Amino acid sequence: VKGEQARQLFADAQAMLDTIIKEKWLTAKAIFGFFPANSEQESIDIYTDNSRQHRALQLHHLRQQSKRPDGKPNQCLSDWIAPVGSDLNDYLGGFAVTTGIGMDEHIQRFEADHDDYNSILLKILADRLAEAFAERLHHRVRTNFWGYAAGESLDNEALIKEQYSGIRPAPGYPACPDHTEKDPLWQLLQADDEIGISITESFAMLPAASVSGWYFAHPDSQYFGIGQIDEDQVVEYAKQKNMDLPVMRRWLAPSMRDA
């Protein structure tokens, strides 16, 4: 449909994908867990065990501040976790997946040959495989491991339209734009020790072909963006996280409304 170059790119990608599978260029690994949790306003408490007597750590989220249409609340991810004192023992899931293990040696080989085309193609395919792996794992979580949607029966089109129950937002994306929230996720999962995914000082994941995030099972949970936020929320958020305000401003700069 798009022309000869597009068809050639597709054919090259299919050929490389076949080679990746046949010669086992990449290794896929995943880790996930479900943790006792309850919310306190815009924060989520994660407990050490099901007795819920001791808090292991606290997650922090931001709430939409822009004016919403009548009947539409200003959303926050913590809204999808039962609040403290509700007598509901809720849970929050966390996950990290990678399909980038083994990729570096092939990237180095291509770059040594000044073959930028195949180097980029491999990186793109590894990224797509990571997203597919995250989708597949989420399906198994919903229908088996957590099992809150055990009877789910959706075709591929419905899956692409995200018509399933529950969401898997990632730190750094519209609903939780603060990349530093990857730190508590890594504390919970120990993904570096368990499956070899590390996070850098700038909270990039290594290998690059990796995906991580949270699992929310609430039937009304949905994806959203917090939009633009004001200085007052940033000040309060920094205080809650015990983080220096200039540092917090830097991390949230893309989401801050111009003064």
Side-chain angles (χ1 to χ4, degrees):
V1 174
K2 297 297 182 182
E4 183 179 348
Q5 288 182 327
R7 289 193 295 273
Q8 185 61 52
L9 176 61
F10 182 78
D12 291 344
Q14 291 296 308
M16 181 176 283
L17 186 59
D18 288 342
T19 301
I20 288 171
I21 296 168
K22 182 179 179 180
E23 299 184 6
K24 300 186 184 335
W25 281 11
L26 304 177
T27 297
K29 289 187 177 182
I31 188 169
F32 62 95
F34 312 117
F35 308 96
N38 285 109
S39 65
E40 293 187 76
Q41 297 182 335
E42 283 78 41
S43 299
I44 298 174
D45 294 337
I46 304 293
Y47 302 103
T48 56
D49 55 44
N50 277 321
S51 72
R52 299 171 189 260
Q53 297 300 306
H54 303 287
R55 188 172 71 190
L57 50 81
Q58 190 173 56
L59 311 177
H60 301 279
H61 295 290
L62 294 156
R63 185 174 296 280
Q64 294 170 321
Q65 285 190 303
S66 58
K67 183 174 176 58
R68 303 276 289 159
D70 290 344
K72 298 289 187 180
N74 290 73
Q75 295 176 307
C76 178
L77 285 175
S78 60
D79 295 342
W80 310 124
I81 298 293
V84 171
S86 64
D87 295 326
L88 294 174
N89 294 333
D90 211 344
Y91 292 84
L92 178 70
F95 75 94
V97 305
T98 185
T99 55
I101 297 171
M103 181 173 66
D104 285 351
E105 64 180 276
H106 300 286
I107 295 297
Q108 291 168 7
R109 174 166 54 85
F110 288 133
E111 291 179 349
D113 291 338
H114 305 288
D115 187 350
D116 292 339
Y117 178 80
N118 278 308
S119 175
I120 293 169
L121 193 59
L122 177 55
K123 292 174 184 177
I124 292 172
L125 283 171
D127 286 344
R128 293 296 85 206
L129 289 168
E131 293 289 351
F133 192 10
E135 189 74 60
R136 173 59 175 157
L137 181 61
H138 194 191
H139 174 260
R140 295 192 69 192
V141 162
R142 297 191 303 270
T143 60
N144 183 11
F145 300 125
W146 197 339
Y148 64 84
E152 177 184 301
S153 179
L154 299 174
D155 61 21
N156 199 49
E157 183 176 354
L159 290 172
I160 291 171
K161 292 180 179 179
E162 298 171 344
Q163 293 177 356
Y164 44 75
S165 179
I167 56 175
R168 58 170 193 278
Y173 283 79
C176 46
D178 178 13
H179 281 278
T180 69
E181 285 295 295
K182 284 196 188 87
D183 184 58
L185 177 59
W186 251 248
Q187 291 182 50
L188 289 169
L189 295 177
Q190 298 293 305
D192 42 2
D193 295 330
E194 296 292 339
I195 60 171
I197 309 178
S198 61
I199 47 176
T200 68
E201 289 186 356
S202 59
F203 295 97
M205 290 178 286
L206 297 175
S210 300
V211 178
S212 64
W214 304 107
Y215 290 134
F216 288 80
H218 195 293
D220 294 332
S221 62
Q222 57 186 280
Y223 293 106
F224 63 92
I226 66 161
Q228 298 295 294
I229 59 175
D230 293 320
E231 174 76 3
D232 60 337
Q233 186 173 186
V234 178
V235 170
E236 182 61 28
Y237 186 73
K239 190 182 302 180
Q240 291 173 5
K241 287 174 65 76
N242 194 28
M243 185 176 288
D244 289 340
L245 183 57
V247 176
M248 195 75 265
R249 283 199 193 103
R250 177 165 58 84
W251 284 109
L252 294 179
S255 299
M256 291 184 66
R257 187 176 286 111
D258 293 335

